[in-house]
Amino acid sequence: MPGSNYFASWDFTSDPCNFAGVYCDSDKVIALNLGDPRAGAPGLTGRIDPAVGKLSALAELTVVPGRIFGALPQSISQLKSLRFLAVSRNFISGQIPASLGELRNLRTLDLSYNLFAGAIPTAIGTLPELSNVILCHNRLSGSVPPFASQTLTRLDLKHNDLSGSLAPNSLPPSLQYLSLSWNRLTGPVDGLLNRLGQLNYLDLSMNQFTGTIPGRVFTYPITNLQLQRNMFSGRVQPDGQVSISTIDLSYNRLSGEISPLFSTVQSLYLNNNRFTGQVPGSFVDRLLAANIQVLYLQHNFLTGIQINPTAEIPVSSSLCLQYNCMVPPLQTPCPLKAGKQKTRPTSQCNEWRG
């Protein structure tokens, strides 16, 4: 692209193994890392030439962010040694070639931030060595195929147009990072989540998932749990001590009383659900001790909180209680989205109790 002279060193009268971004083993090209990898450097433009499929020993193919356009050539499926394919943040379009399922040694597939459309080929899910699949920010549709690799640790499919449901055994228990947010996925995920005990990041937000949230999930080694804006329902009861620092369950259909086990969470978003009963005292203690940074309980059916109206909420903490079945005992600044009404109409509260 303008401003880059990346290909200036490619002097075809000399040995191509000395070209920038070309790595060889004896006389075979084993890696192509195309483009200046330094942050902010201009990327490349043009298409990926199908002739790349002739580099029979190629194990790694990466292209830096830029303006590569056109389709991903089918010929890439001839690269039987390919372990690493990353072409993110370009303008590559068309379908993901189903023939990538022939790359049985592939470990990392990163096609994120492009213009890929159509379904994720089922064949990709059969690749036995996969550890990272990053297809986020494309225009992919259809369902999420099952992934068989028992070494898969990262699956990122966020910001696509995927639909359908996930079978309980469709993802391997090796997963540590799972992001499916901003899709149109449906159905229950409790059976699936119960098997994914190694997760340290989970984002299923902005979908249409239903059913209950299993209590086991809250004991996983997760730092950030994002389940907001779905249709999860029922009670939420962690199986044990919760050490997750941020939990967002807002905008669902969760009901029952709020478990005191959630009082160890630093930022807790339970707003816009159907929770009832009293706010447990452990929340008040931890809030006043500045151990809780965010406690959003607005737009539920809660009936009380034991807190002294003269209590000082620490400056570093945010508490919002409005639009519940009680008069908030103290005025605290709420987000604008919470609206101006302090209390839920009595008729709604009576109906919910009845």
Side-chain angles (χ1 to χ4, degrees):
M1 280 167 64
S4 169
N5 57 355
Y6 176 74
F7 288 116
S9 67
W10 285 35
D11 171 9
F12 283 91
T13 61
S14 65
D15 181 3
C17 290
N18 296 328
F19 292 179
V22 178
Y23 301 87
C24 298
D25 182 13
S26 53
D27 282 345
K28 299 270 193 194
V29 177
I30 55 166
L32 277 184
N33 302 139
L34 300 178
D36 186 339
R38 290 176 299 189
L44 308 175
T45 185
R47 297 170 184 267
I48 299 175
D49 194 301
V52 73
K54 295 177 182 171
L55 299 172
S56 57
L58 200 65
E60 192 173 309
L61 173 59
T62 65
V63 179
V64 300
R67 293 192 169 269
I68 301 290
F69 57 90
L72 196 62
Q74 294 278 356
S75 59
I76 286 180
S77 62
Q78 295 163 27
L79 304 172
K80 301 301 186 223
S81 304
L82 199 65
R83 289 200 302 268
F84 194 95
L85 174 59
V87 293
S88 73
R89 295 180 190 274
N90 278 283
F91 290 82
I92 304 170
S93 58
Q95 302 213 348
I96 298 173
S99 55
L100 292 185
E102 296 166 28
L103 303 175
R104 308 307 285 176
N105 293 305
L106 198 64
R107 306 218 171 132
T108 292
L109 177 64
D110 184 356
L111 308 179
S112 59
Y113 294 90
N114 277 290
L115 303 173
F116 286 105
I120 301 170
T122 313
I124 286 175
T126 68
L127 294 174
E129 303 289 332
L130 276 181
S131 57
N132 299 292
V133 177
I134 307 164
L135 305 178
C136 59
H137 289 268
N138 277 289
R139 297 169 178 180
L140 299 168
S141 56
S143 56
V144 177
F147 284 86
S149 168
Q150 294 303 305
T151 52
L152 187 67
T153 53
R154 185 182 187 97
L155 180 61
D156 190 346
L157 305 178
K158 66 176 173 281
H159 283 269
N160 278 291
D161 194 28
L162 299 166
S163 57
S165 56
L166 298 164
N169 55 357
S170 59
L171 301 177
S174 52
L175 266 184
Q176 294 173 21
Y177 180 107
L178 176 60
S179 181
L180 302 175
S181 66
W182 293 87
N183 279 289
R184 291 188 296 119
L185 298 164
T186 54
V189 287
D190 49 343
L192 175 68
L193 293 180
N194 271 327
R195 296 176 62 252
L196 303 180
Q198 294 185 50
L199 285 175
N200 56 44
Y201 181 91
L202 177 61
D203 187 353
L204 304 182
S205 64
M206 314 297 275
N207 279 287
Q208 295 157 31
F209 289 121
T210 53
T212 56
I213 299 171
R216 278 192 67 187
V217 168
F218 301 104
T219 63
Y220 290 172
I222 296 174
T223 48
N224 195 322
L225 176 60
Q226 306 280 329
L227 300 178
Q228 71 273 20
R229 293 185 185 271
N230 279 286
M231 294 191 279
F232 290 118
S233 59
R235 294 172 178 269
V236 190
Q237 183 58 47
D239 279 1
Q241 193 67 39
V242 182
S243 55
I244 305 172
S245 57
T246 299
I247 294 181
D248 193 341
L249 307 181
S250 64
Y251 294 92
N252 277 290
R253 298 172 180 182
L254 303 168
S255 58
E257 300 198 347
I258 294 173
S259 167
L261 288 167
F262 283 123
S263 63
T264 52
V265 179
Q266 289 170 3
S267 298
L268 182 65
Y269 302 85
L270 299 179
N271 53 290
N272 297 79
N273 276 290
R274 298 171 182 178
F275 289 111
T276 53
Q278 291 264 337
V279 179
S282 50
F283 281 97
V284 177
D285 299 341
R286 292 185 58 83
L287 190 68
L288 296 178
N291 295 127
I292 294 178
Q293 288 166 1
V294 178
L295 182 57
Y296 277 4
L297 303 175
Q298 68 270 23
H299 287 258
N300 279 289
F301 292 81
L302 300 167
T303 47
I305 181 169
Q306 295 295 319
I307 189 166
N308 189 327
T310 61
E312 289 284 326
I313 303 286
V315 181
S316 60
S317 303
S318 298
L319 168 68
C320 184
L321 294 168
Q322 72 186 47
Y323 212 70
N324 276 289
C325 297
M326 60 174 167
V327 177
L330 64 176
Q331 296 305 314
T332 54
C334 282
L336 280 173
K337 266 195 206 150
K340 292 202 166 68
Q341 273 187 285
K342 296 290 178 213
T343 306
R344 190 180 277 280
T346 316
S347 57
Q348 287 185 23
C349 293
N350 292 341
E351 197 179 318
W352 194 246
R353 283 200 200 98

